[in-house]
Amino acid sequence: MSDRQILQAMSGLMAGMFVSILAGTVVANALPRIIADLGASQSSYTWVVTAELLAMTATVPLWGKLADLYNQKLLLQISLGLFVVGSLLAGFSHDVSLLIFSRVAQGIGAGGLTALAQVVMAAVIPPRRLGKYAGMFGAVFAVGTVAGPLIGGVLVDTSWLGWRWCFFIGVPFALLAIVLLQRTLKLPTVRREAKIDYLGAFLIVAGVSALLIWVSLAGNSFDWASWQTAALTGGGLVLLVAAVFVESRVPEPIIPLGIFRNRTVTLTTVASLFVGLAMFGGTVFLSQYFQISLGKSPTVAGLMSLPMIMGLLVSSTVAGQLISRTGRWKAYLVAGGVLMTAGLGLLSTIGADTHFGLLSLYMAVMGVGVGMLMQNLVLAAQNDVAATELGAATSVLSFFRSLGGTIGTSVLGAILASRVATEMSKGLQEAGIPAGRGAAGHGAVPDMTTLPAPIREIVEHAYGTATGELFLVATPFAFLAVLAVLFVKEKPLKTTSGMERLAEESGAAGRAEDDAAAPLPAGTPAAPAEKA
């Protein structure tokens, strides 16, 4: 395929990925208004956030396996259709139960887009040329990440639109992506006898969901040391052990355990887990820091994250171009890991009085590191597996990155709540103010506009100190990602696409079967029998 044909084929994928990212970020600044309008509780607030992430993370491996068995374009369009249905249900929701259900539908669709977009890229683009296109996807990721909160804030603050348009706005993009995919993406339908491992799929989804529900709710809805923790962790581990047992014995496993014998896949999977823990777990609280500790509005808070997003956008694009030009990729993984670790370490020094220029520099360093690392981990894994395992390998990396982000967000959120409570109690005591007066209680986020100046300064200091400590906790996980990347062996990037490799592998397998079935020429000695 020429560059022009590839760009045309990628247009639908990019529109789909933008929709997926927008779904997770556009509601960030709108949720307080949504929950208030629906008369829901703080627990419902948590579930609206968690439901989409749970559904997306748990279903990524299933989508990846389906990509190895069925037409990938059709699967992409089905995932976009699920997203449209979920978005419409969410926009028309008049109670929180329907909203949570709709977020699950959105999450399942987003899981398909997350897994399938990179699988399709690998199918039509050779790894040697994939770097620059992966960089373009990194740019789409950056734009969706920064645009989501800004769009959500504007929609909520516009009286004649309102929060329902936070869900409706993604629908035209999803429909456009379906049409573009139909017109521009040409993939052969490989018909093969397939058996879906439904039991394995159920056990994986149930086990992962139990553990994700635990890390999402522990510390908020119940204590970390409680019977709920024992039930969810014990049940989740039992289900996952059963899943491993089933997956090792079925002909078509959802996650082929054999791919973990590949050193590159194992190491990039470990690195993706730690990238998720460090990046998502650390940065998700930056918007709260901007609004509470620095006293900025939701719209300004969205704009303040631009240095990090621009760093990610530029580095992913430039690194992708250089990888495609030179064929060398490991140096960018190592440099990206080091810069991400350094950025998190620098952000651990922030507080309520940190100058925005310094804060921008720290965020840019981290963004540059993430841009060089995240997409290229997938490139390294895709380059080193058979074409028949592209879907499984890609979905495994996406799954563990999302899993790491979910765990990091939940655990670091609990740490943030604990540190804020400690710092506020300490500040109120030092100021001689009775504990609880005007400040948030029971883990609620304070309304800064209603607090008197002395208490507001204490709250700003508490959130600034606690947010800095979050990045300090996240830094070692980023360093572990660097260690994993260091042991990845650099291999030359293949010059054939996934479809071409699949045809070659199928042809080689067919020739081997024909050779084995062919009769031996007359006079050929028989092979000696194997000894028992």
Side-chain angles (χ1 to χ4, degrees), residues 254-277:
I254 299 298
I255 299 178
L257 300 180
I259 66 172
F260 291 110
R261 297 192 190 101
N262 184 309
R263 174 177 166 181
T264 302
V265 172
T266 301
L267 289 172
T268 52
T269 298
V270 171
S272 293
L273 175 69
F274 289 130
V275 167
L277 273 165

Side-chain angles (χ1 to χ4, degrees), residues 503-520:
E504 291 171 4
E505 292 168 12
S506 300
R511 288 192 297 274
E513 289 179 4
D514 292 342
D515 292 343
L520 293 173

Side-chain angles (χ1 to χ4, degrees), residues 22-64:
L22 200 65
T25 59
V26 75
V27 298
N29 291 330
L31 268 177
R33 183 75 58 83
I34 294 171
I35 296 299
D37 283 357
L38 296 178
S41 63
Q42 179 66 35
S43 175
S44 299
Y45 184 108
T46 304
W47 274 108
V48 171
V49 175
T50 306
E52 195 230 0
L53 193 55
L54 283 175
M56 182 187 76
T57 304
T59 56
V60 160
L62 183 57
W63 283 109

Side-chain angles (χ1 to χ4, degrees), residues 229-485:
T229 290
L232 288 170
T233 55
L237 291 174
V238 168
L239 288 167
L240 290 178
V241 169
V244 171
F245 179 81
V246 171
E247 294 291 274
S248 64
R249 283 162 173 76
V250 295
E252 294 281 1
I254 299 298
I255 299 178
L257 300 180
I259 66 172
F260 291 110
R261 297 192 190 101
N262 184 309
R263 174 177 166 181
T264 302
V265 172
T266 301
L267 289 172
T268 52
T269 298
V270 171
S272 293
L273 175 69
F274 289 130
V275 167
L277 273 165
M279 186 191 72
F280 293 110
T283 58
V284 75
F285 300 103
L286 271 176
S287 179
Q288 193 177 59
Y289 164 75
F290 295 147
Q291 293 182 53
I292 295 178
S293 191
L294 302 186
K296 306 300 181 183
S297 68
T299 303
V300 173
L303 291 170
M304 288 180 74
S305 62
L306 276 175
M308 181 174 65
I309 302 305
M310 291 302 297
L312 192 156
L313 189 154
V314 171
S315 67
S316 65
T317 304
V318 172
Q321 294 282 350
L322 292 173
I323 288 171
S324 292
R325 187 177 303 167
T326 64
R328 311 289 295 181
W329 49 267
K330 183 173 178 178
Y332 299 99
L333 289 182
V334 176
V338 170
L339 286 171
M340 184 178 75
T341 306
L344 287 167
L346 291 170
L347 284 168
S348 70
T349 64
I350 65 175
D353 56 351
T354 303
H355 189 274
F356 180 64
L358 211 55
L359 187 61
S360 298
L361 175 64
Y362 298 165
M363 289 191 294
V365 170
M366 193 186 76
V368 169
V370 171
M372 296 171 70
L373 182 63
M374 193 164 60
Q375 290 291 336
N376 294 322
L377 285 171
V378 179
L379 172 64
Q382 290 176 336
N383 183 61
D384 203 30
V385 297
T388 53
E389 294 180 339
L390 275 173
T394 305
S395 65
V396 163
L397 262 69
S398 299
F399 167 71
F400 277 95
R401 187 173 63 237
S402 296
L403 183 65
T406 307
I407 294 171
T409 301
S410 302
V411 174
L412 293 180
I415 294 173
L416 177 72
S418 175
R419 290 297 299 137
V420 165
T422 302
E423 288 294 323
M424 285 176 58
S425 297
K426 179 181 174 183
L428 290 171
Q429 186 177 4
E430 290 176 353
I433 300 172
R437 185 189 166 197
H442 306 293
V445 178
D447 183 354
M448 301 298 288
T449 61
T450 64
L451 298 180
I455 295 179
R456 187 167 62 247
E457 290 178 7
I458 293 169
V459 174
E460 288 172 352
H461 173 77
Y463 272 88
T465 302
T467 304
E469 290 190 13
L470 284 192
F471 288 108
L472 184 62
V473 173
T475 302
F477 295 111
F479 181 69
L480 290 173
V482 177
L483 292 181
V485 166

